[in-house]
Amino acid sequence: HGEVFTRRWVVELILDLVGYTSDRDLAVMVAVEPSCGAGAFLGPMVERLVQSCESHGRSITEAANAIRAFDLLGDNAALATKTAATQLVEAGVADSTAWELAEGWVTAGDFLLTDHVEQSVDFVLGNPPYIRLENLPADRNAAYRRACTTMRGRSDIFVGFIEMGLRLLRPNGALGFIVADRWMRN
């Protein structure tokens, strides 16, 4: 499934570089993690969101729409949900509230084929999968090519994640991805 696991220090660096920091009022912003896996980005994002709510005098429930995380695999989405809920509980959030928030933040689904509201988010963050487009089943290959016009010829699906992520950003939004340098040739 093109999974490449991310070290914590790399996640922290990317979050810092794009400005997803607890000194900002993250509860009123929206961050998307389009391929969350077990939660390598999501865990630190939740930690920073909790810190931001505390420093801005907000209840964590005010951040119910602050994160949108997707994973194609249901098992990964379940692990990511557990990661987010655990982070919240460790921060002192009631168990039922933590699970309600986490379940609202994480979706098992295909980010590239989901209808999104364009220019609706402040951050797109993560480590998209690395899969050659031509290695996918023909129907999925065609669907991705229709959804993401930058995936022409030989391509990797992370190119579509970049395109879709950029479409979703509000003016002055930031995209922070870990990707191979192949995109510079596409």
Side-chain angles (χ1 to χ4, degrees):
H1 296 285
E3 294 175 298
V4 177
F5 301 99
T6 312
R7 295 182 188 270
R8 174 77 184 229
W9 71 267
V10 175
V11 172
E12 298 286 353
L13 175 65
I14 290 174
L15 295 178
D16 287 345
L17 288 172
V18 300
Y20 194 84
T21 55
S22 60
D23 61 313
R24 298 179 76 182
D25 193 358
L26 299 176
V28 298
M29 303 174 106
V30 179
V32 170
E33 213 294 34
S35 183
C36 64
F41 273 82
L42 186 60
M45 288 167 64
V46 170
E47 287 175 10
R48 290 175 182 220
L49 180 59
V50 167
Q51 292 167 356
S52 172
C53 285
E54 289 171 356
S55 68
H56 288 89
R58 294 187 177 278
S59 165
I60 190 65
T61 58
E62 294 178 64
N65 297 313
I67 295 175
R68 296 184 208 154
F70 297 82
D71 202 277
L72 184 62
L73 304 176
D75 288 345
N76 283 352
L79 286 171
T81 300
K82 183 177 180 181
T83 295
T86 300
Q87 291 290 336
L88 292 169
V89 169
E90 288 176 0
V93 176
D95 196 64
S96 61
T97 302
W99 279 96
E100 183 179 330
L101 287 168
E103 289 170 350
W105 290 337
V106 180
T107 300
D110 193 324
F111 173 76
L112 293 179
L113 300 179
T114 297
D115 282 334
H116 302 281
V117 177
E118 291 192 12
Q119 295 190 338
S120 64
V121 306
D122 301 285
F123 305 97
V124 181
L125 307 158
N127 186 356
Y130 309 149
I131 303 170
R132 298 298 302 169
L133 191 56
E134 55 271 12
N135 291 340
L136 295 175
D139 58 337
R140 182 156 296 201
N141 181 318
Y144 284 168
R145 287 182 190 275
R146 281 191 303 274
C148 302
T149 59
T150 55
M151 289 197 287
R152 296 184 299 245
R154 291 178 45 93
S155 186
D156 196 296
I157 68 167
F158 73 75
V159 172
F161 279 77
I162 294 170
E163 176 184 344
M164 189 69 69
L166 291 172
R167 274 194 231 157
L168 294 179
L169 288 176
R170 294 180 177 139
N172 299 315
L175 182 139
F177 276 165
I178 303 167
V179 295
D181 66 356
R182 272 186 250 144
W183 68 271
M184 296 187 329
R185 292 186 281 279
N186 290 20

